[in-house]
Amino acid sequence: DVVMTQTPVSMSVSLGGQVSISCRSSQSLVHNNGNTYLSWYIQKPSQSPQLLIYKVSNRFSGISDRFSGSGSGTDFTLKISRVEPDDLGVYYCGQGTQYPYTFGAGTKLELK
Amino acid sequence: QVQLKETGPGLVQPTQTLSITCTVSGFSLTSYYMQWVRQTPGKGLEWMGFIRSGGSTEYNSEFKSRLSISRDTSKNQVFLKMNSLKTEDTGVYYCATHPGNYWGQGVMVTVSS
């Protein structure tokens, strides 16, 4: 199975600040069709995960441009700029390139 | 608008079978893949499997021998059935469209005698 490793496990941020979350996969996430199926989700307390970014860098409908995804192969990053209170929660990366699909263990974003 | 809602038992005894129904609205099951994802204290988020828009299925081999995903398109429902439950299967079970753009609220399942 593809192992997804997220760092850091948790981080503190000031409102208005910027953060970067890293996600590394144990194998390349480039699919045979040329696409890279790496997604980012946020899970707010007592809620379901919500899709933020799909295929590395595409923002899902309604997602603020403060969220940006980048990377390739096995190394990916989620950046959040001008952090707002509603951004707090646990962020997960997930891969949909190889079965079984797998997720990272999460990065908890807290207020400093 | 798109809505997904899981319904199922809150408590299941070890060795018994878990059955959860996901009722959807706002879209057709014949147009979307539907997946099941669970979140457990021990393993976090785990992809369990999906049913394609055409009705075929794909399962995580971790569950393959005891998991079944099916649907009733006339009722806009997707079903998860998993047998031989263990205490480690305790967690929240979500249905979601694939690739994860819409999720249900989840249903908490506790496996305990």
Side-chain angles (χ1 to χ4, degrees):
Chain A
D1 298 1
V2 178
V3 177
M4 306 296 288
T5 303
Q6 285 183 240
T7 54
V9 172
S10 65
M11 59 194 312
S12 300
V13 63
S14 300
L15 294 178
Q18 177 172 300
V19 299
S20 288
I21 300 171
S22 171
C23 175
R24 288 192 170 144
S25 57
S26 60
Q27 301 171 40
S28 172
L29 297 186
V30 180
H31 193 274
N32 290 340
N33 64 15
N35 288 314
T36 300
Y37 296 103
L38 185 282
S39 299
W40 290 96
Y41 302 85
I42 179 175
Q43 187 173 31
K44 300 175 188 177
S46 302
Q47 293 188 22
S48 313
Q50 300 169 33
L51 181 66
L52 295 169
I53 302 280
Y54 63 96
K55 287 199 284 185
V56 181
S57 59
N58 295 275
R59 278 186 296 275
F60 181 50
S61 174
I63 299 303
S64 168
D65 60 4
R66 298 184 298 102
F67 293 88
S68 63
S70 63
S72 63
T74 62
D75 201 349
F76 305 92
T77 301
L78 175 71
K79 287 188 179 163
I80 312 168
S81 60
R82 305 185 305 281
V83 169
E84 299 179 358
D86 196 45
D87 299 339
L88 304 181
V90 181
Y91 288 81
Y92 295 95
C93 60
Q95 66 86 16
T97 294
Q98 284 191 37
Y99 298 131
Y101 298 161
T102 49
F103 296 89
T107 295
K108 187 171 186 178
L109 186 63
E110 299 173 304
L111 262 186
K112 193 175 288 183
Chain B
Q1 77 272 27
V2 171
Q3 290 189 318
L4 298 81
K5 185 173 182 180
E6 305 91 342
T7 51
L11 179 66
V12 181
Q13 294 197 339
T15 75
Q16 297 301 300
T17 296
L18 172 65
S19 294
I20 303 175
T21 298
C22 173
T23 303
V24 310
S25 59
F27 66 98
S28 171
L29 292 178
T30 58
S31 299
Y32 275 83
Y33 287 26
M34 291 296 298
Q35 60 182 336
W36 288 93
V37 176
R38 75 176 188 178
Q39 189 166 29
T40 64
K43 292 195 172 182
L45 289 170
E46 285 184 283
W47 177 77
M48 301 181 74
F50 62 56
I51 184 164
R52 295 181 176 88
S53 51
S56 62
T57 52
E58 194 75 40
Y59 297 113
N60 185 336
S61 57
E62 174 81 13
F63 306 104
K64 191 167 187 176
S65 61
R66 58 191 186 113
L67 175 65
S68 172
I69 297 173
S70 60
R71 70 182 185 181
D72 183 335
T73 55
S74 68
K75 293 183 178 179
N76 294 323
Q77 292 179 327
V78 183
F79 309 105
L80 175 147
K81 277 195 167 66
M82 189 162 71
N83 58 33
S84 305
L85 283 194
K86 313 163 205 173
T87 54
E88 309 90 90
D89 294 316
T90 292
V92 181
Y93 288 72
Y94 297 101
C95 65
T97 55
H98 174 65
N101 34 354
Y102 299 104
W103 293 63
Q105 75 215 16
V107 61
M108 177 69 205
V109 174
T110 301
V111 182
S112 174
S113 53

